[in-house]
Amino acid sequence: MNEIILTNKKHGMPVLLLTIVLYVAAILGIIACAGYYYYYYPTIPMVICIAYLCLGWLVIPGLKVLGPQEALVLTLFGNYIGTLKGEGFYFVNPFCVAVNPAAKTQLNQSGDVDSGSGSPVLAALKGGNGSAALSKEIGSKKISLKIMTLSNSRQKINDCLGNPVEIGIAVTWRVVDTVKAVFDVDNYKEFLSLQCDSALRNIVRLYPYDVVPGTEVDTTGDGVPDEGSLRGSSDVVAARIRDEIQAKVQEAGLEIIEARITHLAYASEIAAAMLQRQQASAIIDARKMIVEGAVGTVEMALDRLNQSGMVALDEERKAAMVSNLLVVLCANHDAQPVVNTGSLY
């Protein structure tokens, strides 16, 4: 089914004014007929006026008002007849019905968030997995064509190494085909939310949280281990999540503009252990740097002493000097000076 854009339907104001004028004329006609009732019986004009007063309101349901970036999908006796798009005051067949299966659904997103209703259904769904939180019923059948941001709730997912991580994403999306969104899926908002959860799990399980030397894995599928990780390759991971979601919601007439990781951390049960590992790794790296600097300093000191000829040291004394300098330079505490008042030998 292809989308049909209804044009040349912006006749709402003329129809409204005509309806008001006819109502006034019908009222005046009844008054006039009542005034001549004793002279003759104006049955037909009075019946026409009364009939219009009773049935003229049927035109009102055909008046539709749309704001910028709004649309209405219309059906007539079950058949799709077209879509109204763009701001304006429209008049269509009064028996047309606007269809929007997602009108009763709200997600945790911009322009569509709950205002604090105490619905028990909402409270139950908020405690569940994923970001599909249903809330109170909305009366409007209009479909928003604006760009909206779906804030996916944090999920606990195992990475490729089996470590549980907590991750959340924000997905920027919009409706581009109203017919697919309304008729090809049952509820396009819930459909989007579930596909976001599914795509997030599919991509996160391909990456480790962080790369440790010697534990690289293949994240691209080319058979070669690489340094891709959730923390170090967030842009690449977000792009893959966006492509994964887009492939799944294409049939629903939705466009995924961007997906971004908003929260990333180890799960609470392993966060302390992983913090200790990161601290140990940082301490080892710092020690390596200190040792490299100390060795360079000792080497420079020995070269300067040899060049100046100030002191002639044999191999045993050089070894003792190197040992003392390394202890001083690599120690965590300040050195305690010892004054040697005897002979060097």
Side-chain angles (χ1 to χ4, degrees), residues 9-17 62-64 89-91:
K9 294 291 184 179
K10 293 185 179 181
H11 308 307
M13 186 58 67
V15 172
L16 178 61
L17 294 177
L63 300 174
K64 309 292 183 182
F89 192 11
Y90 296 86
F91 176 74

Side-chain angles (χ1 to χ4, degrees), residues 301-317:
L302 292 176
D303 291 341
R304 293 291 299 272
L305 289 174
N306 289 334
Q307 291 176 4
S308 63
M310 183 182 300
V311 179
L313 300 175
D314 58 12
E315 297 300 324
E316 182 179 354
R317 297 300 177 181

Side-chain angles (χ1 to χ4, degrees), residues 19 98 140 177 200 221 296:
T19 302
S140 177
D177 193 318
L200 183 62

Side-chain angles (χ1 to χ4, degrees), residues 99-111:
V99 181
N100 183 8
K104 300 179 181 180
T105 304
Q106 287 184 320
L107 303 178
N108 185 22
Q109 64 182 9
S110 60

Side-chain angles (χ1 to χ4, degrees), residues 52-296:
Y52 183 80
L53 288 177
C54 295
L55 302 177
W57 61 270
L58 292 176
V59 179
I60 303 301
L63 300 174
K64 309 292 183 182
V65 179
L66 292 181
Q69 296 296 318
E70 291 181 345
L72 273 179
V73 177
L74 302 176
T75 60
L76 181 61
F77 304 121
N79 296 319
Y80 170 69
I81 62 170
T83 301
L84 297 177
K85 279 188 177 182
E87 68 276 11
F89 192 11
Y90 296 86
F91 176 74
V92 295
N93 191 320
F95 296 99
C96 289
V97 178
V99 181
N100 183 8
K104 300 179 181 180
T105 304
Q106 287 184 320
L107 303 178
N108 185 22
Q109 64 182 9
S110 60
D112 196 22
V113 295
D114 179 62
S115 58
S117 66
S119 171
V121 178
L122 174 63
L125 289 173
K126 281 187 175 180
N129 184 31
S131 58
L134 300 182
S135 67
K136 61 183 181 180
E137 180 175 333
I138 311 173
S140 177
K141 296 293 184 179
K142 298 177 183 178
I143 298 176
S144 176
L145 304 179
K146 301 175 184 177
I147 297 176
M148 292 189 288
T149 301
L150 169 64
S151 180
N152 189 290
S153 61
R154 298 177 184 178
Q155 298 185 63
K156 185 183 294 184
I157 306 172
N158 291 340
D159 65 1
C160 67
L161 300 179
N163 299 320
V165 297
E166 291 183 352
I167 185 170
I169 59 172
V171 179
T172 306
W173 67 283
R174 64 182 175 185
V175 177
V176 293
D177 193 318
T178 57
V179 174
K180 290 183 178 180
V182 171
F183 297 113
D184 288 1
V185 293
D186 182 59
N187 188 317
Y188 66 90
K189 291 183 180 180
E190 291 182 356
F191 182 77
L192 171 65
S193 178
L194 295 176
Q195 295 305 327
C196 288
D197 293 345
S198 175
L200 183 62
R201 291 184 177 274
N202 291 340
I203 299 301
V204 169
R205 65 181 180 84
L206 301 177
Y207 288 85
Y209 178 86
D210 203 356
V211 175
V212 178
T215 62
E216 292 85 357
V217 297
D218 177 22
T219 61
T220 58
D222 57 1
V224 179
D226 53 72
E227 296 183 353
S229 65
L230 296 175
R231 192 179 74 168
S233 308
S234 58
D235 291 339
V236 177
V237 175
R240 293 189 66 176
I241 293 174
R242 183 260 173 202
D243 295 339
E244 180 83 4
I245 299 173
Q246 181 62 69
K248 294 178 179 294
V249 301
Q250 186 72 34
E251 60 187 8
L254 307 180
E255 178 187 2
I256 306 301
I257 300 173
E258 188 181 35
R260 288 293 178 183
I261 297 176
T262 57
H263 175 78
L264 179 63
Y266 280 113
S268 57
E269 56 265 28
I270 66 167
M274 290 302 175
L275 179 60
Q276 291 179 353
R277 190 183 74 174
Q278 292 176 355
Q279 290 174 343
S281 177
I283 291 173
I284 292 173
D285 292 340
R287 286 295 180 184
K288 288 181 180 179
M289 185 177 298
I290 291 173
V291 171
E292 290 177 359
V295 171

